[in-house]
Amino acid sequence: MPLCEVGQYQTGGDAIINRGIKIFYRTYGGGPVKVLMIIGLAATHDSWNPQIQGLVGTVKPNDDDDDRSSSETGTGIEVCAIDNRGVGRSSIPTKRSEYTTSIMAKDAIAVMDHLGWKKAHVFGHSMGGMIASKLAALFPDRIQSLALLNVTGGGYQCLPKLDRQTFSIAIRFLMAKTPAQRAAVDLDTHYTQEYLGEYVGRETRRAILYQEYVKAISASGMQSNHGFDGQINACWTHKLSQTDLEMIRKQGFLISVIHGRSDVIAQVSHARRLAQKLYPLAKMVELHGGHLVSHERTKEVNEALLELIRASESNISAHDWTNLSGKSTSIWSMSWISSSGSKSEGGITDGTLRSIMLYIFSIFVLLFEYIRKVPRRIRPVRVGTALT
């Protein structure tokens, strides 16, 4: 089983703290172009399968290939996808303090060292995007390009859109006792209702995906409380400081921020703001889709990722790459730029919005903790990991 013992590739306190911590990974394809994929909260490496298929042409791992050399004649791209600490086949530390995006970024770098990769195109989804952006800030010389899918800046930005739909989803998620109940919640979390309602032959996508989710959740087993709480901690404590942003901009690699406009988990306004902060290196790509836009709009996402790789490999300048303006703006007055170039503007200060959101967030946390105690009293059955 392909595992990287993190501490062996670290020094000082990191090596001591991470002794025995192992990260599970899979590699696919082969060639000079290296791509590291980091998935999000509670999900495992195979959540990247639609992108792996698009980039490499197969989802068969190299360690399952009897003739590894045959993969070297493929697309010229080698992909590595990992299970983050706390989920899947990777180690599950028991302390929340052992889960931060900085620690998990160092896990990813250890995997790169284990594979002998000097540099890689790094793609991250949701929490994986937070980890990827922190990795880019801590180790900018190891990055060839950066793709951030359905990502936010962490902290209060992890708070989903506050409306009846998301509140209902949160309650259903906490009360889910079976794989079937969990699958139904996950579908409403990950995809748009329009997409789920489309017919494929005689069945709707919802019906088809529901069966797939139930099967996957039943087969994968549960994510432990330690792993889930730890990864939640990594999201809440994540922050890109001004120094982090300056380190990323200084290195000058190209960035693609890809987001589903109808994402109920990671609000698109936060992604727009992050992209603007990374001007002129970033391009904002908005697609009609939900949190798993990588599954819902696979073709468009794969094209965007391949475009990023090609642009980076051909050394296109940042100003030729970006589709953003250089105007510095607040969270609401910034230009909302989609792939079609449409814009809208408003006005409210960052400080005022932050205070409002922190107040709402504190109430939400108290409510969350209260609700979470209810299903514990009736001893619900924990179900498998989600593709988030």
Side-chain angles (χ1 to χ4, degrees):
M1 186 165 64
L3 291 167
C4 167
E5 189 164 339
V6 173
Q8 292 184 358
Y9 299 93
Q10 297 176 336
T11 59
D14 288 337
I16 296 173
I17 293 171
N18 290 314
R19 183 178 295 136
I21 298 294
K22 296 178 181 179
I23 299 298
F24 178 81
Y25 67 91
R26 292 281 200 189
T27 60
Y28 308 81
V33 178
K34 310 299 183 183
V35 177
L36 177 66
M37 294 183 167
I38 308 174
I39 197 58
L41 174 71
T44 52
H45 67 283
D46 48 4
S47 296
W48 284 112
N49 278 356
Q51 282 60 60
I52 295 169
Q53 179 70 45
L55 267 60
V56 178
T58 180
V59 292
K60 184 178 182 181
N62 289 333
D63 54 294
D64 287 347
D65 197 337
D66 294 333
D67 182 11
R68 172 64 191 276
S69 63
S70 65
S71 65
E72 300 294 337
T73 60
T75 62
I77 298 175
E78 182 176 7
V79 169
C80 175
I82 66 176
D83 288 352
N84 293 308
R85 62 169 62 200
V87 75
R89 304 183 197 180
S90 291
S91 296
I92 305 175
T94 58
K95 298 179 181 178
R96 283 190 180 185
S97 60
E98 295 179 273
Y99 296 83
T100 68
T101 53
S102 294
I103 290 172
M104 296 162 88
K106 292 176 182 178
D107 289 345
I109 283 293
V111 173
M112 285 180 61
D113 290 339
H114 177 73
L115 294 172
W117 291 8
K118 299 295 183 183
K119 284 191 171 187
H121 302 272
V122 178
F123 302 163
H125 178 270
S126 193
M127 181 190 73
M130 300 179 200
I131 298 169
S133 58
K134 184 62 73 171
L135 188 157
L138 295 174
F139 307 95
D141 58 323
R142 306 293 297 273
I143 306 294
Q144 285 186 287
S145 73
L146 183 66
L148 305 175
L149 287 73
N150 294 79
V151 73
T152 72
Y156 76 91
Q157 292 186 15
C158 294
L159 186 65
K161 184 179 179 181
L162 296 177
D163 59 16
R164 183 179 297 178
Q165 179 189 4
T166 52
F167 187 76
S168 173
I169 289 172
I171 297 297
R172 289 165 58 205
F173 176 84
L174 292 170
M175 299 298 291
K177 303 174 185 178
T178 66
Q181 292 172 339
R182 178 62 177 274
V185 178
D186 284 351
L187 291 180
D188 290 329
T189 304
H190 298 157
Y191 305 101
T192 62
Q193 296 302 309
E194 177 185 351
Y195 179 75
L196 292 173
E198 292 176 357
Y199 275 85
V200 180
R202 295 184 177 182
E203 292 189 281
T204 62
R205 289 190 186 277
R206 178 184 291 275
I208 296 170
L209 288 170
Y210 175 77
Q211 296 300 327
E212 293 178 359
Y213 269 55
V214 171
K215 181 179 179 181
I217 293 171
S218 300
S220 63
M222 67 181 185
Q223 183 185 24
S224 72
N225 288 331
H226 293 307
F228 184 76
D229 291 344
Q231 290 190 352
I232 287 288
N233 182 69
C235 294
W236 294 140
T237 59
H238 172 72
K239 180 182 179 181
L240 279 181
S241 67
Q242 190 61 37
T243 300
D244 290 336
L245 292 168
E246 289 172 0
M247 289 296 293
I248 293 173
R249 286 196 295 262
K250 183 178 179 181
Q251 193 65 25
F253 47 78
L254 302 181
I255 302 167
S256 188
V257 180
I258 304 170
H259 212 96
R261 295 188 190 96
S262 301
D263 190 341
V264 298
I265 296 179
Q267 297 183 60
V268 67
S269 58
H270 299 314
R272 291 166 178 153
R273 183 186 181 200
L274 177 60
Q276 193 67 42
K277 286 182 176 181
L278 295 169
Y279 176 87
L281 303 174
K283 173 182 283 190
M284 186 72 204
V285 180
E286 294 185 28
L287 300 170
H288 181 68
H291 190 61
L292 265 183
V293 71
S294 54
H295 288 218
E296 187 169 343
R297 293 289 177 259
T298 297
K299 181 180 178 181
E300 294 95 323
V301 169
N302 290 352
E303 288 174 350
L305 296 176
L306 286 168
E307 181 187 21
L308 175 63
I309 292 173
R310 287 192 294 264
S312 299
E313 296 290 329
S314 58
N315 295 317
I316 291 177
S317 71
H319 286 283
D320 288 334
W321 169 254
T322 189
N323 61 353
L324 303 173
S325 70
K327 184 179 179 181
S328 178
T329 52
S330 72
I331 189 169
W332 287 109
S333 64
M334 66 168 284
S335 297
W336 284 17
I337 303 179
S338 70
S339 55
S340 62
S342 62
K343 303 180 182 180
S344 65
E345 296 185 352
I348 186 171
T349 64
D350 279 354
T352 301
L353 181 64
R354 185 174 292 109
S355 298
I356 294 171
M357 291 301 293
L358 286 175
Y359 175 73
I360 294 173
F361 174 64
S362 64
I363 296 175
F364 180 83
V365 169
L366 290 174
L367 180 62
F368 177 85
E369 289 299 325
Y370 174 77
I371 294 172
R372 193 166 68 163
K373 291 177 182 178
V374 175
R376 284 180 179 173
R377 292 170 186 164
I378 59 177
R379 298 184 179 275
V381 177
R382 289 297 299 272
V383 297
T385 57
L387 300 173
T388 56

